[in-house]
Amino acid sequence: MKFIKNTYIFGIGALILGAITSCSDDFLEVEPKGKFLTNNYYENEEQAYTGLIATYDRLQKNTGGFDNLVAMMNSGSDDHFAGGGNASDGQGLQDFSSYNMNSVSMPQSYWSDHYQGIFRANILLLQLPDVPMDASLISRFSAEAKALRALYYFNLVRMFKNIPLITEPIDQAEIFNIPQANPADVYALIETDLLGAIAVLPETITSASETGRLTKGGAQALLGKVYLYIGKNALAAAQFAEVNGTPGEVNQYGNKLLDNFDDLWGVSNKFNSESIIEVPHTNESLTGWDNWGQGSDEGNSYNQMVGPRTYSKLSDSAPDFAAGWSFNPITQDLYDFIKDDPRFNATVFDMKALKDAGDADYIAGYQDTGYFLRKFMPTNADKSTLAGNTELNYRQNSYIIRLADTYLMEAEALGATGTRAQALLDAVRARVGLPSVPVSMDAVMDERRLELVGEGHRWFDLVRTGRAATVLADRGFVAGTHEIFPIPFKEFENTIIEQNPNYN
């Protein structure tokens, strides 16, 4: 099947609108034909569909490419270090991990890749009304574009706070003079887009060819998360209640917690019942070093990043993992926190114990602890046998939102009090065989840490709840500065964009 790629490249200082190319993927099938200019781009339904799939493409920022969201957000949390080969390996990750961030080392792609998605959504929304196609399809495509635009803006405003708000295509002459918006206005657009999408999106996906497209429940879960992040807890709880239904049971959209926590990380268990918004990856995109991270690769790069360096299996009792690059090693603090939890074995790979037993070996990387993130560990069985570089073509999908996450976010939105909050917390714990504990904010935050290790949520949780300055003090986190990133240098060079406070 085909996942469509558009060659939009966006920084506030550069915008290139170009041709469509295609690469192999395992969802959303479409064959592009020819090249379409922006001013007459969508002449029929097929062309509009290619534009929609191109808008979905930027979701792969989650775990695709070296500068992926999960690797970055894990690096700055108390659960992981940046790791890698040395103190300058992935400078952006290193500087975030030690809170020495600056505009030069801040990777531009965390800004530009999200704006690529926004620009694609803006073009699609502008041109869809004039496409000769069924009105119901126009409505659905528009709803998906709005929900995607909302997600991209949510990531941007959480990371950088002070960002331009762009809702329609812009001329080349204008791109240097776009001011930053009030964050409240960005959140207002996100809310409006998601409410509009929720009213239109289908409740379920029934066709295999549409697997991975957004649903009403996905947009509701995202809106609940947005509300939670900006302190509109009652509204957040209402959205999450629509998604979660009765804790522990199948919800109105067919979602249910998987019976076995370990099954969440089965590489073939894609788009399972617990998945709400999921990013697809494939081992068939033929990615090589010449096109890695350039928009045409579709493998899960994070798998390669987290594996132990030069891993070698020495006995049958050792897992058949592939060698990786040792990024995001797990901290001793997290190890001590999770070591007695039933989720430990599915979450943490104790390389130290395996090496001590003589069953496997590796070369310690930078900030090595001997503990690695098993959820995304690369395996030899999963290596691509096609052309391209095998280490760049892992096929494991990644979750942006899953049901256990929404259970715990609803419990938080309810103030971590009351019968329903207790039931939501209990359901997450019961799935792994843990008894009930009295619901409280500390209990909910602890459960989020245990349940969601390595999925890119922990840093945002600490910032959102005001705990980052305390928890991350020994890493160099400074309140009033490090809640947001520095704007990459190229984005304010020769523009009217101003750097975020304390990063000048």
Side-chain angles (χ1 to χ4, degrees):
M1 294 186 180
K2 303 295 181 183
F3 192 82
I4 300 308
K5 306 289 186 181
N6 280 21
T7 59
Y8 298 108
I9 300 174
F10 176 76
I12 291 299
L15 173 60
I16 300 172
L17 300 175
I20 296 178
T21 61
S22 70
C23 289
S24 172
D25 200 5
D26 56 3
F27 94 124
L28 299 180
E29 182 172 3
V30 63
E31 293 285 349
K33 293 181 174 65
K35 298 180 180 181
F36 315 109
L37 300 177
T38 304
N39 60 0
N40 65 349
Y41 183 54
Y42 305 124
E43 295 179 350
N44 53 49
E45 179 183 328
E46 181 182 16
Q47 293 177 15
Y49 187 59
T50 66
L52 175 64
I53 304 312
T55 308
Y56 270 97
D57 173 63
R58 286 298 82 201
L59 290 181
Q60 294 196 353
K61 186 69 175 173
N62 201 51
T63 44
F66 183 83
D67 291 334
N68 63 77
L69 278 170
V70 171
M72 185 66 161
M73 304 324 301
N74 285 350
S75 294
S77 79
D78 56 330
D79 289 348
H80 306 268
F81 296 116
N86 53 59
S88 61
D89 192 3
Q91 196 64 59
L93 302 181
Q94 304 297 340
D95 286 355
F96 183 37
S97 188
S98 61
Y99 291 93
N100 288 309
M101 297 178 288
N102 61 76
S103 63
V104 176
S105 66
M106 179 68 215
Q108 186 183 14
S109 68
Y110 290 101
W111 177 286
S112 61
D113 283 2
H114 288 96
Y115 272 112
Q116 286 179 26
I118 289 165
F119 267 60
R120 297 174 192 186
N122 287 344
I123 292 171
L124 187 63
L125 289 166
L126 177 69
Q127 301 215 11
L128 272 172
D130 297 324
V131 180
M133 55 191 283
D134 187 90
S136 63
L137 282 180
I138 291 176
S139 294
R140 182 181 176 189
F141 285 16
S142 295
E144 289 174 272
K146 288 178 180 178
L148 289 166
R149 181 170 69 177
L151 176 55
Y152 299 141
Y153 265 126
F154 184 46
N155 284 343
L156 280 166
V157 76
R158 286 191 298 166
M159 288 189 292
F160 299 103
K161 186 177 180 179
N162 301 300
I163 61 172
L165 181 60
I166 303 167
T167 59
E168 59 185 22
I170 58 176
D171 293 332
Q172 182 76 21
E174 298 175 357
I175 61 178
F176 298 101
N177 297 306
I178 302 174
Q180 288 149 293
N182 185 324
D185 293 335
V186 179
Y187 278 110
L189 175 73
I190 293 170
E191 180 179 7
T192 298
D193 274 353
L194 289 173
L195 287 171
I198 288 166
V200 175
L201 288 172
E203 294 190 354
T204 58
I205 297 296
T206 58
S207 171
S209 66
E210 295 184 349
T211 302
R213 291 174 68 175
L214 289 167
T215 62
K216 178 178 180 179
Q220 287 177 316
L222 180 57
L223 181 57
K225 188 171 183 176
V226 171
Y227 282 147
L228 185 66
Y229 210 88
I230 59 177
K232 295 183 177 181
N233 287 7
L235 292 174
Q239 292 296 329
F240 287 135
E242 288 288 315
V243 175
N244 293 334
T246 302
E249 298 183 10
V250 179
N251 73 2
Q252 62 177 320
Y253 305 128
N255 297 109
K256 185 180 185 297
L257 295 178
L258 295 182
D259 293 335
N260 186 350
F261 178 82
D262 295 25
D263 290 344
L264 284 162
W265 317 111
V267 172
S268 298
N269 196 18
K270 297 171 182 274
F271 303 109
N272 56 66
S273 67
E274 190 164 334
S275 174
I276 295 176
I277 301 179
E278 181 172 333
V279 181
H281 289 290
T282 178
N283 60 0
E284 299 179 359
S285 68
L286 311 182
T287 301
W289 294 111
D290 58 334
N291 66 338
W292 185 45
Q294 298 179 18
S296 60
D297 58 313
E298 296 165 16
N300 185 330
S301 301
Y302 194 58
N303 291 121
Q304 176 66 24
M305 292 177 73
V306 301
R309 300 179 79 84
T310 67
Y311 175 85
S312 59
K313 177 179 176 178
L314 302 179
S315 76
D316 290 341
S317 61
D320 192 23
F321 290 148
W325 299 336
S326 290
F327 282 97
N328 286 167
I330 284 173
T331 63
Q332 186 68 48
D333 181 69
L334 175 63
Y335 179 90
D336 293 340
F337 187 71
I338 198 174
K339 64 182 179 181
D340 296 322
D341 188 269
R343 287 159 287 205
F344 175 85
N345 287 331
T347 301
V348 179
F349 174 47
D350 191 343
M351 181 73 230
K352 180 190 294 186
L354 209 62
K355 181 172 182 174
D356 289 346
D359 292 322
D361 201 5
Y362 77 116
I363 294 177
Y366 180 60
Q367 298 173 310
D368 178 63
T369 60
Y371 310 128
F372 296 87
L373 182 59
R374 188 163 194 146
K375 287 180 178 179
F376 290 100
M377 199 60 55
T379 67
N380 285 315
D382 196 37
K383 280 188 172 181
S384 175
T385 58
L386 303 176
N389 293 89
T390 58
E391 63 266 38
L392 306 180
N393 288 281
Y394 286 101
R395 65 189 179 95
Q396 183 179 2
N397 288 4
S398 62
Y399 305 105
I400 292 179
I401 300 178
R402 58 183 177 88
L403 196 61
D405 183 12
T406 59
Y407 275 21
L408 295 171
M409 285 193 287
E410 185 185 348
E412 179 186 343
L414 291 168
T417 61
T419 302
R420 182 168 175 83
Q422 183 70 65
L424 290 159
L425 176 61
D426 287 350
V428 175
R429 292 177 60 80
R431 188 255 294 274
V432 294
L434 289 172
S436 176
V437 295
V439 68
S440 67
M441 197 60 72
D442 284 344
V444 170
M445 288 299 108
D446 285 350
E447 203 63 36
R448 285 188 64 80
R449 189 182 187 192
L450 293 163
E451 176 74 21
L452 301 169
V453 170
E455 298 177 53
H457 301 297
R458 174 67 174 173
W459 186 83
F460 284 121
D461 285 351
L462 292 174
V463 170
R464 185 185 70 251
T465 59
R467 300 177 180 213
T470 299
V471 173
L472 298 171
D474 62 343
R475 299 280 280 268
F477 187 102
V478 176
T481 297
H482 293 132
E483 291 85 356
I484 55 176
F485 291 168
I487 296 172
F489 177 75
K490 289 292 184 183
E491 301 304 337
F492 62 84
E493 184 182 25
N494 300 320
T495 73
I496 64 172
I497 290 177
E498 297 181 1
Q499 182 56 279
N500 281 328
N502 304 319
Y503 284 115
N504 291 321

